[in-house]
Amino acid sequence: MSAAVRHRLDALAARFGLELRGDGAREIAGVGTLAEAGPAQLGFLANPRYAAQLAATRAGAVVLRAEHAALCPVPALIAADPYVAYAKIAALFETLPAAAPGVHPSAVVAAGARVAPTASVGPLCVIEDGAAIEDGAVLGPHCVIGPDCTVGAQSRLVARVTLVARVTLGKRVLVHPGAVLGADGFGLAFERDHWIKVPQLGGVRIGDDCEIGANTTIDRGALDDTVLEEDVRLDNQIQIAHNVKIGAHTALAGCAAVAGSAKIGRHCLIGGGAGILGHLEVADRVTITAMSLVTHSIREPGEYSSGTPLEPNRRWRRNAARIRHLDELARRVAALEKDKHDE
Amino acid sequence: MSAAVRHRLDALAARFGLELRGDGAREIAGVGTLAEAGPAQLGFLANPRYAAQLAATRAGAVVLRAEHAALCPVPALIAADPYVAYAKIAALFETLPAAAPGVHPSAVVAAGARVAPTASVGPLCVIEDGAAIEDGAVLGPHCVIGPDCTVGAQSRLVARVTLVARVTLGKRVLVHPGAVLGADGFGLAFERDHWIKVPQLGGVRIGDDCEIGANTTIDRGALDDTVLEEDVRLDNQIQIAHNVKIGAHTALAGCAAVAGSAKIGRHCLIGGGAGILGHLEVADRVTITAMSLVTHSIREPGEYSSGTPLEPNRRWRRNAARIRHLDELARRVAALEKDKHDE
Amino acid sequence: MSAAVRHRLDALAARFGLELRGDGAREIAGVGTLAEAGPAQLGFLANPRYAAQLAATRAGAVVLRAEHAALCPVPALIAADPYVAYAKIAALFETLPAAAPGVHPSAVVAAGARVAPTASVGPLCVIEDGAAIEDGAVLGPHCVIGPDCTVGAQSRLVARVTLVARVTLGKRVLVHPGAVLGADGFGLAFERDHWIKVPQLGGVRIGDDCEIGANTTIDRGALDDTVLEEDVRLDNQIQIAHNVKIGAHTALAGCAAVAGSAKIGRHCLIGGGAGILGHLEVADRVTITAMSLVTHSIREPGEYSSGTPLEPNRRWRRNAARIRHLDELARRVAALEKDKHDE
């Protein structure tokens, strides 16, 4: 973080439409947690769970909701959603590595590739024939951009991102290291005694403002494209199979996986490690809790779960053994009820 | 897809042993879904679920089973297995990036490495001493081939594949970007208060015609090798631990994981996200459904599952709470039965 | 493995504090399993399950516990913990690729980076401004070391490791290919109808003697750092989210995942594919079995599990259907008990 950037509280209030309480001339040089922020830093109170920390904060100022302002011992910026306001202010203090326009001399750019003059191509990138890097896009070191791939304007590939073939990224897409987009979908046909590979002739289309986590994989479609609409957010190590469609503003947490041709709605939240089987549809505004498995289409918004509670192993073993005989247990209960009824 | 490639229906029928119905002179320039294919494209009907789309198809021709031919409004190619026939025909329209023999000038090839003159080594590859790249093998950009590794004839490493050490790929092996083969197995011994690393002195052997997905990892063995027999198919983000053996023609879907020294049979199907514990054996022709955990050896072919059904969260919470007391519930039912019997 | 290295049994006994039984002049040139080791190799018997193999071993010598020595047909090295002794002896036969000090001419090292003269930087590495590579550290090919990252003394990045920004590795840290440390944590705030990215201003700190598996990801913190204390061992494809803290000597098996701000104790064992939700605490010396999900803090040491047993699919379906009605079943049992009591 650069030590040089400083912002007055009154300027921050004006810029982000917040109400200021206290000394507007106070300068802020960074952000921190309520517990750790010092006098030159801005803290925030978004989760009421941390309200008890407010009285003792040493922060220079705090972003919070109006209801907490009375308890704040330092200047405050009042926001309807303090976490959103904090996110915007914090962005002022984020310093990204400089990315000068131009192609690093160590990069290998094919004659048939097109790189906008305002784009930045980092060391040891490989850009193949038919690829396009648009205005202001930034490729960190070690990216590989395959044939018929486009990196949209202002997109940023942090480092070591691979776009294999027929991948189109929209504008302002952010892709983290190790992500692989556009690898072959897993298409196989079984002939007598061995597998035949089914060619994967489609592509991948990623909408504007999407974010793709580290080591996440998104395969290209068999015939149609695999599609993420705008503002889809994927955490690390997520697997998106061929022909999947994900609606706008949906977010998937780490290690979630979506099988082929599943269609996920808009504004969904998919928990970490959750799985969605192939050829299903999930409605808009569905939440799937962590490590749940979706085995059938979901038509209604709401929260869905599978799995069993964590227990001490000895206790778990006893209960798990009973699950193996649950159908029989249910029949035995029905028999008791019938006996009762017949008495 | 190249627009230049065109195939007459009668030529396709002859080449793949299919029965032609309709105009054999019709030319096909690509493939598509029944719903989307246009007059120059071949559609296919493999899953009877899509039979309703047949009447309205605008495809130039359709591959299907004899039983559906009567309903087909356009010329047809009759196949016993339309998906297999489609896969073979579609391959004619797949255009892979050209890979000229030779070593790209930006690659770093050690003096003690051996690269066949017909092999192609892409930009910025690193090939270390003792590695061998055999006839017609293709290494895309950014591959790293470590000591004592062999890439067999006609194998293809799409891009950014790492073979760490003592990895042998058979012929026609296809490896997708980000895969890491031959990293240290996870071997640790605990001495008093800290871990001691157990050297991983084995290797990895991959049989002919295997496919390894993007960001999949296959560790090398502790003493023996980790082995995939021929025609094993691994999807993306799969983890294969040290000393695992996987039988021929077995396929694992995305995010499956196999722990150390497990032995999986031939012709198995392991679902996405499934886990197999270490030192187990799984018989031939076993299917494990998605996200199931195999905790004991499986001796009989068949389909196996674990896990609980997805439910609306509120309902799930009520049922899950009961699982914690299932053993007690079963005892209560037994007590009721005993009372009944004693009456 | 080098054929040249040979060690006399009496020298091994003296070096590692083991008791020798039999011919101390015998030379050992490698290690192997009891079943496979030949006369020039050392076998070991750590797991009593393999005791039956001892009588028939053709190994040159065997490391084992005193209680098994009488049954050993060849010279023996007696150890309190044969697996630990074996690990140390086996390390003598492990040959790592030579890593000469200096920077490979194909590497791209920024003017503002600092590389110790005794460090080794492999082909096609990229080291950015503000990065430091300390004494004796070894970077294999294709590593990317971003701004404000430090690779501690004697650490080894095998190949293709990415440290994105603000990552500090301690001494003797081993990182396997494809690992990504210091990518943005997954921080999002939802504003009206779209996501706002929350800047990730913290870093990652990895203690001495940690090991990080292939394709594992460790995100940097939002404000504080993500921290692994010393001697933490991570297998492949593990996901560690922002602000996680992991105590010393804890080991996580492949594909485990820890969500944001979770705090895991020391000497824990986290099974393969297990998940730990965010903002939880797990006490010291906790074991979580494979594919379990930790949904609440764990205050007591011990072993914990969730999930259901694997069953043949048809049987599983019947039992799983009953789980959906388990709450109702429990109520029905309570009703029967009440009836009984009321009689």
Side-chain angles (χ1 to χ4, degrees):
Chain A
M1 281 161 277
S2 163
V5 180
R6 301 182 76 85
H7 296 273
R8 282 170 59 114
L9 283 183
D10 51 9
L12 291 174
R15 181 167 182 169
F16 297 111
L18 308 173
E19 180 191 341
L20 170 68
R21 299 209 186 158
D23 176 14
R26 184 165 292 194
E27 285 189 335
I28 295 298
V31 290
T33 60
L34 269 192
E36 302 279 342
Q41 290 179 302
L42 181 80
F44 70 102
L45 176 56
N47 187 336
R49 180 160 37 157
Y50 295 105
Q53 296 180 359
L54 186 59
T57 192
R58 298 176 307 109
V62 177
V63 185
L64 39 61
R65 267 186 290 273
E67 68 200 76
H68 292 115
L71 299 166
C72 185
V74 296
L77 293 170
I78 313 293
D81 187 331
Y83 196 48
V84 166
Y86 160 75
K88 293 176 175 178
I89 296 171
L92 304 178
F93 300 104
E94 187 174 31
T95 55
L96 290 172
V103 176
H104 192 277
S106 65
V108 178
V109 180
R114 187 172 58 76
V115 178
T118 55
S120 174
V121 174
L124 303 169
C125 286
V126 174
I127 304 183
E128 303 192 347
D129 272 330
I133 314 298
E134 303 198 332
D135 279 346
V138 175
L139 276 58
H142 279 238
C143 292
V144 175
I145 311 298
D148 303 316
C149 292
T150 298
V151 178
Q154 313 302 330
S155 287
R156 190 159 76 94
L157 281 50
V158 173
R160 188 158 50 89
V161 168
T162 301
L163 310 186
V164 180
R166 297 191 286 283
V167 178
T168 301
L169 306 186
K171 298 188 169 82
R172 299 172 302 277
V173 173
L174 174 59
V175 190
H176 295 286
V180 177
L181 280 65
D184 285 3
F186 194 59
L188 297 168
F190 198 77
E191 185 181 38
R192 281 190 309 276
D193 58 356
H194 66 286
W195 295 106
I196 302 268
K197 185 170 171 65
V198 179
Q200 302 294 303
L201 304 170
V204 174
R205 279 184 288 131
I206 306 291
D208 296 342
D209 300 301
C210 287
E211 180 169 357
I212 313 291
N215 284 352
T216 280
T217 49
I218 305 179
D219 281 351
R220 61 179 199 270
L223 286 165
D224 303 331
D225 292 340
T226 305
V227 179
L228 272 60
E229 292 180 359
E230 73 273 14
D231 195 28
V232 171
R233 306 287 176 148
L234 303 187
D235 196 355
N236 297 347
Q237 300 207 39
I238 284 171
Q239 152 70 356
I240 306 293
H242 54 179
N243 299 104
V244 166
K245 315 285 180 199
I246 303 182
H249 315 296
T250 283
L252 283 76
C255 306
V258 185
S261 301
K263 188 161 185 287
I264 302 179
R266 297 159 62 96
H267 291 293
C268 292
L269 298 171
I270 311 298
I276 297 179
L277 293 190
H279 299 272
L280 300 182
E281 293 197 21
V282 173
D284 294 348
R285 300 187 186 278
V286 165
T287 294
I288 306 294
T289 59
M291 289 177 68
S292 297
L293 176 63
V294 180
T295 54
H296 55 273
S297 288
I298 298 178
R299 307 293 180 191
E300 298 295 324
E303 187 174 10
Y304 297 82
S305 303
S306 70
T308 79
L310 191 83
E311 297 183 274
N313 182 265
R314 194 175 305 177
R315 209 181 146 86
W316 171 80
R317 282 180 184 277
R318 281 201 302 267
N319 289 326
R322 297 295 189 177
I323 290 176
R324 301 179 91 109
H325 300 283
L326 189 55
D327 183 53
E328 180 196 324
L329 184 71
R331 289 174 197 278
R332 285 161 55 197
V333 171
L336 286 167
E337 288 170 331
K338 182 161 186 302
D339 285 350
K340 183 80 208 166
H341 186 263
D342 291 350
E343 272 169 16
Chain B
M1 278 160 279
S2 164
V5 179
R6 300 183 76 86
H7 295 273
R8 282 171 57 115
L9 283 182
D10 50 10
L12 292 174
R15 181 167 181 170
F16 297 111
L18 308 172
E19 180 190 341
L20 170 68
R21 298 211 186 155
D23 177 14
R26 183 164 292 193
E27 285 189 333
I28 295 297
V31 290
T33 60
L34 268 191
E36 302 280 342
Q41 290 179 301
L42 181 81
F44 69 102
L45 176 57
N47 187 336
R49 181 162 32 160
Y50 296 104
Q53 297 181 358
L54 187 59
T57 191
R58 298 176 306 110
V62 177
V63 185
L64 39 61
R65 267 185 290 272
E67 68 201 77
H68 293 116
L71 299 166
C72 186
V74 295
L77 294 170
I78 313 294
D81 186 331
Y83 195 48
V84 166
Y86 160 76
K88 293 176 176 177
I89 295 170
L92 303 178
F93 301 103
E94 188 175 30
T95 55
L96 289 172
V103 176
H104 192 278
S106 65
V108 178
V109 180
R114 186 171 59 75
V115 178
T118 56
S120 174
V121 175
L124 303 170
C125 287
V126 174
I127 305 183
E128 303 192 346
D129 272 331
I133 314 297
E134 302 197 332
D135 280 345
V138 175
L139 276 58
H142 280 238
C143 292
V144 175
I145 311 298
D148 302 317
C149 292
T150 298
V151 177
Q154 314 301 331
S155 288
R156 190 160 76 93
L157 281 50
V158 173
R160 188 158 50 89
V161 168
T162 302
L163 309 186
V164 180
R166 296 190 287 282
V167 178
T168 301
L169 306 185
K171 299 187 170 81
R172 300 171 301 277
V173 172
L174 174 59
V175 190
H176 295 287
V180 177
L181 280 66
D184 285 3
F186 194 59
L188 296 168
F190 198 76
E191 184 181 38
R192 281 190 309 277
D193 57 358
H194 66 285
W195 295 106
I196 302 267
K197 185 170 170 65
V198 179
Q200 302 293 304
L201 304 170
V204 174
R205 278 184 287 131
I206 306 291
D208 295 343
D209 300 301
C210 287
E211 181 170 356
I212 313 291
N215 284 352
T216 280
T217 49
I218 305 178
D219 282 350
R220 61 178 201 270
L223 286 165
D224 301 332
D225 292 339
T226 304
V227 178
L228 272 60
E229 292 181 359
E230 71 274 16
D231 194 29
V232 170
R233 306 289 176 147
L234 303 188
D235 196 355
N236 297 347
Q237 300 207 39
I238 285 171
Q239 152 71 356
I240 306 294
H242 54 179
N243 299 105
V244 166
K245 316 284 180 198
I246 302 183
H249 315 296
T250 283
L252 283 76
C255 306
V258 185
S261 301
K263 188 161 183 288
I264 302 180
R266 297 160 61 96
H267 291 292
C268 292
L269 299 171
I270 311 297
I276 298 179
L277 293 190
H279 298 273
L280 300 182
E281 292 197 21
V282 173
D284 294 349
R285 298 186 188 279
V286 164
T287 294
I288 306 294
T289 59
M291 289 178 68
S292 297
L293 175 64
V294 180
T295 53
H296 54 272
S297 289
I298 298 178
R299 307 294 180 190
E300 298 295 324
E303 188 175 9
Y304 296 82
S305 303
S306 68
T308 79
L310 191 82
E311 297 182 274
N313 181 266
R314 194 174 306 176
R315 209 182 147 84
W316 171 80
R317 282 179 184 277
R318 280 201 302 267
N319 290 325
R322 297 295 188 177
I323 290 176
R324 300 178 91 110
H325 300 281
L326 190 55
D327 182 53
E328 179 198 324
L329 185 71
R331 289 174 196 278
R332 285 161 55 197
V333 172
L336 286 167
E337 289 170 332
K338 182 163 186 301
D339 286 350
K340 184 79 205 166
H341 186 263
D342 291 350
E343 272 171 14
Chain C
M1 280 160 280
S2 164
V5 180
R6 299 184 77 85
H7 295 273
R8 282 170 57 115
L9 283 182
D10 50 10
L12 292 174
R15 181 168 180 168
F16 296 111
L18 309 172
E19 179 191 341
L20 169 68
R21 299 207 187 159
D23 177 14
R26 182 164 293 192
E27 285 190 334
I28 295 298
V31 290
T33 61
L34 268 191
E36 302 280 341
Q41 290 178 302
L42 181 80
F44 69 102
L45 175 57
N47 187 335
R49 179 161 35 157
Y50 295 105
Q53 296 181 358
L54 187 58
T57 191
R58 297 176 307 109
V62 177
V63 184
L64 39 61
R65 267 186 290 273
E67 68 199 78
H68 293 115
L71 299 166
C72 186
V74 296
L77 293 170
I78 312 295
D81 186 331
Y83 196 48
V84 166
Y86 160 76
K88 293 176 177 179
I89 295 170
L92 303 178
F93 301 103
E94 188 175 30
T95 56
L96 290 172
V103 175
H104 192 278
S106 65
V108 177
V109 179
R114 187 171 58 77
V115 178
T118 55
S120 174
V121 174
L124 303 169
C125 286
V126 174
I127 304 184
E128 303 192 348
D129 273 330
I133 315 299
E134 303 198 330
D135 279 346
V138 175
L139 276 58
H142 279 238
C143 291
V144 175
I145 311 297
D148 302 317
C149 292
T150 298
V151 178
Q154 313 301 331
S155 287
R156 190 159 76 92
L157 281 49
V158 172
R160 186 155 57 85
V161 168
T162 301
L163 309 187
V164 180
R166 296 191 288 281
V167 178
T168 301
L169 306 185
K171 298 187 170 82
R172 299 172 303 276
V173 172
L174 174 59
V175 190
H176 294 287
V180 177
L181 280 66
D184 285 4
F186 194 58
L188 297 168
F190 198 76
E191 184 181 40
R192 282 188 310 275
D193 58 358
H194 66 285
W195 295 106
I196 302 267
K197 185 170 171 66
V198 179
Q200 302 294 303
L201 304 170
V204 173
R205 279 184 289 130
I206 306 291
D208 295 343
D209 300 302
C210 287
E211 181 169 356
I212 313 289
N215 284 351
T216 280
T217 48
I218 305 178
D219 281 351
R220 63 178 198 271
L223 286 166
D224 302 331
D225 293 339
T226 305
V227 179
L228 272 60
E229 294 180 358
E230 72 272 16
D231 194 28
V232 170
R233 306 288 176 148
L234 303 187
D235 196 355
N236 297 347
Q237 300 207 38
I238 285 171
Q239 153 69 358
I240 306 293
H242 53 178
N243 299 104
V244 167
K245 315 284 180 199
I246 303 182
H249 315 296
T250 282
L252 282 77
C255 305
V258 185
S261 301
K263 189 161 184 288
I264 302 179
R266 298 159 61 97
H267 292 293
C268 292
L269 298 171
I270 311 297
I276 297 179
L277 293 190
H279 299 272
L280 300 181
E281 293 197 21
V282 173
D284 294 349
R285 299 186 186 279
V286 164
T287 294
I288 306 293
T289 59
M291 289 178 69
S292 297
L293 176 62
V294 180
T295 53
H296 54 272
S297 289
I298 298 178
R299 307 293 181 190
E300 298 295 324
E303 188 175 9
Y304 296 82
S305 303
S306 70
T308 79
L310 191 83
E311 297 183 274
N313 182 265
R314 194 174 307 178
R315 207 181 149 86
W316 171 80
R317 281 178 185 277
R318 281 203 301 267
N319 290 325
R322 297 297 188 175
I323 290 176
R324 300 178 93 109
H325 300 282
L326 189 54
D327 182 53
E328 179 197 324
L329 184 72
R331 289 175 197 278
R332 285 160 55 197
V333 171
L336 286 167
E337 287 169 332
K338 183 161 186 302
D339 286 351
K340 185 78 206 167
H341 186 264
D342 291 350
E343 271 170 16

